[in-house]
């Protein structure tokens, strides 16, 4: 709908009048061939009923409508119009292109959002303040939030069920592949490739870490610490077939030759910066997987990788 003509100061050119609502054009669009202009809402509603120009009945579609020329927009913006809130006491007359910004700040706007001063702090329309009840509104708000929380918890329960079912099916598939690998040598290569791909995908999901103090590496971590790391690996989706190997290699007795003694570690300290390390979330530990470190020499890497635990110095 356009602006009422009686709100405009002075005469209004016919080219600025919408032939559908007879008001001054509001957010106008133009027919492509005949160039007749209409309010956006007016012409879109008209075309939804009959795809013709309201003036000369030429065929048009909504997709063919175009913004009016700049000269027409400039003529509209120069019109002086009274405020929408004149009936509530606003006596302002302003240019049409500034009307929208004025309405947001107009003190006479009955729908202007204002904070409740009775204590609840809710922001409500000005004309609803007189009937506002803080306790009632807060109760309704709490009820809505509780319903949203209940819906979220239900969705979360359903998603957990789906995830658990998918994990169960994946585990069954893994068990089947392992059984086939044992009974059928031809399946061994396929199963090995699937397990390698699983490790690569898991590695790509981890955040890269940087070790700042290699001297803080713990060569003989205690069982409690190892158990904590093992639990975290499981929680972040570490493929089950490599967890045992990784944790076995968190101890110096299973480290490769380049790490197996204090002397070799000191000699190779500068080479450690070549490791691509992935963070173990929440722990002073990193995972160094062989799939990420094919560039590292054999005396510094083992399959499927290493878990390095540090006293300090991991970012």
């Amino acid at each position: 709908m356009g602006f009422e003509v009686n709100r405009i100061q002075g005469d209004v050119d016919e080219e600025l009048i919408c032939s559908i609502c007879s008001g001054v054009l509001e957010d106008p669009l133009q027919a492509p061939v005949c160039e007749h202009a209409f309010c956006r809402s007016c012409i879109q509603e008209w075309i939804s009923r009959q795809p013709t120009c309201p003036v000369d009945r030429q065929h048009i579609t909504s997709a063919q409508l175009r913004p009016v020329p700049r000269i027409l927009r400039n003529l509209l913006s120069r019109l002086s119009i009274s405020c929408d809130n004149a009936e509530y006491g606003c006596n302002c007359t302003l240019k049409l292109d500034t009307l929208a910004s004025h309405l947001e700040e107009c003190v006479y706007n009955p729908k202007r959002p204002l904070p409740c001063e009775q204590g609840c702090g809710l922001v409500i329309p000005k004309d609803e303040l007189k009937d506002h009840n803080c306790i009632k509104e807060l109760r309704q708000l709490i009820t809505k939030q509780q319903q949203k929380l209940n819906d979220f918890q239900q969705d979360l329960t359903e998603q957990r069920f789906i995830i658990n079912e998918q994990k169960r099916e994946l585990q069954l598939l893994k068990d089947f592949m392992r059984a086939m690998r044992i009974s059928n040598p031809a399946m061994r290569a396929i199963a090995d490739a699937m397990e390698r791909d699983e490790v690569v995908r898991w590695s790509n999901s981890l955040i890269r870490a940087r070790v700042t103090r290699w001297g803080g590496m713990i060569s003989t971590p205690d069982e409690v610490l190892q158990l904590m790391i093992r639990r975290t690996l499981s929680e972040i989706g570490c493929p089950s077939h490599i967890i045992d190997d990784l944790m076995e290699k968190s101890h110096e007795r299973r480290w490769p030759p380049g790490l197996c003694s204090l002397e070799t570690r000191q000699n190779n300290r500068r080479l450690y910066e070549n490791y691509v390390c992935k963070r173990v979330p929440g722990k002073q530990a990193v995972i160094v997987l062989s799939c990420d470190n094919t560039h590292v020499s054999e005396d510094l890497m083992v399959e499927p990788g290493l878990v390095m635990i540090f006293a300090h110095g991991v970012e």
Side-chain angles (χ1 to χ4, degrees):
M1 292 293 291
F3 301 101
E4 295 176 9
V5 177
N6 58 13
R7 291 177 55 192
I8 306 296
Q9 287 190 346
D11 296 330
V12 181
D13 192 288
E14 287 187 4
E15 295 296 325
L16 305 181
I17 300 296
C18 174
S19 59
I20 299 176
C21 68
S22 300
V24 176
L25 293 170
E26 181 177 6
D27 192 13
L29 293 175
Q30 188 178 61
V33 179
C34 59
E35 298 185 347
H36 292 127
F38 312 93
C39 301
R40 178 184 294 270
S41 60
C42 292
I43 189 60
Q44 288 181 339
E45 182 180 354
W46 179 281
I47 290 178
S48 68
R49 298 175 181 175
Q50 48 183 328
T52 59
C53 172
V55 178
D56 56 22
R57 303 302 176 181
Q58 291 195 59
H59 178 79
I60 55 173
T61 65
S62 181
Q64 293 174 329
L65 297 173
R66 296 290 181 268
V68 297
R70 180 182 298 178
I71 186 171
L72 189 58
R73 295 199 301 271
N74 289 342
L75 289 173
L76 285 168
S77 67
R78 292 170 185 165
L79 295 177
S80 296
I81 187 171
S82 61
C83 176
D84 291 14
N85 303 313
E87 62 179 298
Y88 301 108
C90 182
N91 297 318
C92 291
T93 300
L94 52 153
K95 296 299 181 182
L96 191 58
D97 60 347
T98 63
L99 177 62
S101 59
H102 167 77
L103 291 176
E104 292 180 0
E105 303 296 334
C106 181
V107 296
Y108 295 94
N109 182 2
K111 294 298 181 183
R112 186 163 68 100
L114 293 174
C116 172
E117 297 180 352
Q118 300 178 36
C120 71
L122 294 176
V123 177
I124 54 180
K126 179 181 177 181
D127 60 348
E128 296 179 17
L129 276 174
K130 62 181 183 298
D131 299 322
H132 172 64
N133 184 308
C134 293
I135 296 177
K136 179 181 177 181
E137 294 288 344
L138 288 173
R139 282 178 176 171
Q140 291 177 349
L141 181 61
I142 292 172
T143 301
K144 290 179 181 178
Q145 294 300 322
Q146 186 63 50
Q147 183 60 49
K148 288 182 179 180
L149 180 59
N150 292 339
D151 292 342
F152 174 77
Q153 289 176 337
Q154 183 176 352
D155 291 342
L156 184 60
T157 300
E158 292 175 356
Q159 291 299 319
R160 283 175 176 169
F161 175 78
I162 293 172
I163 290 172
N164 289 334
E165 284 297 300
Q166 291 174 340
K167 285 182 177 179
R168 187 180 65 83
E169 292 174 1
L170 181 59
Q171 188 59 48
L172 289 174
L173 177 61
K174 289 178 179 179
D175 293 341
F176 172 76
M177 293 301 296
R178 290 194 185 98
M180 290 296 293
R181 180 169 53 184
I182 294 172
S183 61
N184 187 348
M187 293 293 296
R188 188 170 302 166
I190 298 176
D192 289 343
M194 290 179 62
E195 289 184 347
R196 285 195 299 270
D197 290 344
E198 185 181 7
V199 174
V200 171
R201 286 194 298 270
W202 177 63
S203 175
N204 291 337
S205 71
L206 301 176
I207 299 174
R208 189 160 178 172
R210 186 171 72 92
V211 178
T212 57
R213 296 185 63 181
W214 287 100
M217 191 187 305
I218 302 174
S219 60
T220 54
D222 59 71
E223 292 183 2
V224 174
L225 183 56
Q226 285 180 323
L227 183 61
M228 292 172 57
I229 301 295
R230 176 187 289 272
R231 185 182 300 115
T232 302
L233 289 179
S234 179
E235 291 172 352
I236 62 175
C238 178
S240 57
H241 66 276
I242 68 169
I243 289 184
D244 289 341
D245 281 343
L246 288 177
M247 293 312 304
E248 278 292 324
K249 295 177 177 64
S250 66
H251 194 288
E252 63 181 1
R253 64 175 175 265
R254 294 290 300 277
W255 282 350
L259 295 171
C260 65
S261 69
L262 180 60
E263 181 180 358
T264 56
R265 289 197 291 276
Q266 290 176 340
N267 291 336
N268 293 327
R269 185 173 298 177
R270 293 184 179 180
L271 300 177
Y272 300 159
E273 294 182 358
N274 294 327
Y275 280 130
V276 174
C277 304
K278 299 298 179 65
R279 175 174 282 282
V280 178
K283 302 292 184 292
Q284 284 290 107
V286 298
I287 308 162
V288 184
L289 295 169
S290 58
C291 63
D292 294 327
N293 291 277
T294 54
H295 59 286
V296 175
S297 61
E298 292 183 0
D299 64 332
L300 292 175
M301 182 51 57
V302 292
E303 287 283 351
L306 305 165
V307 171
M308 296 180 178
I309 303 174
F310 294 83
H312 43 63
V314 175
E315 293 181 353

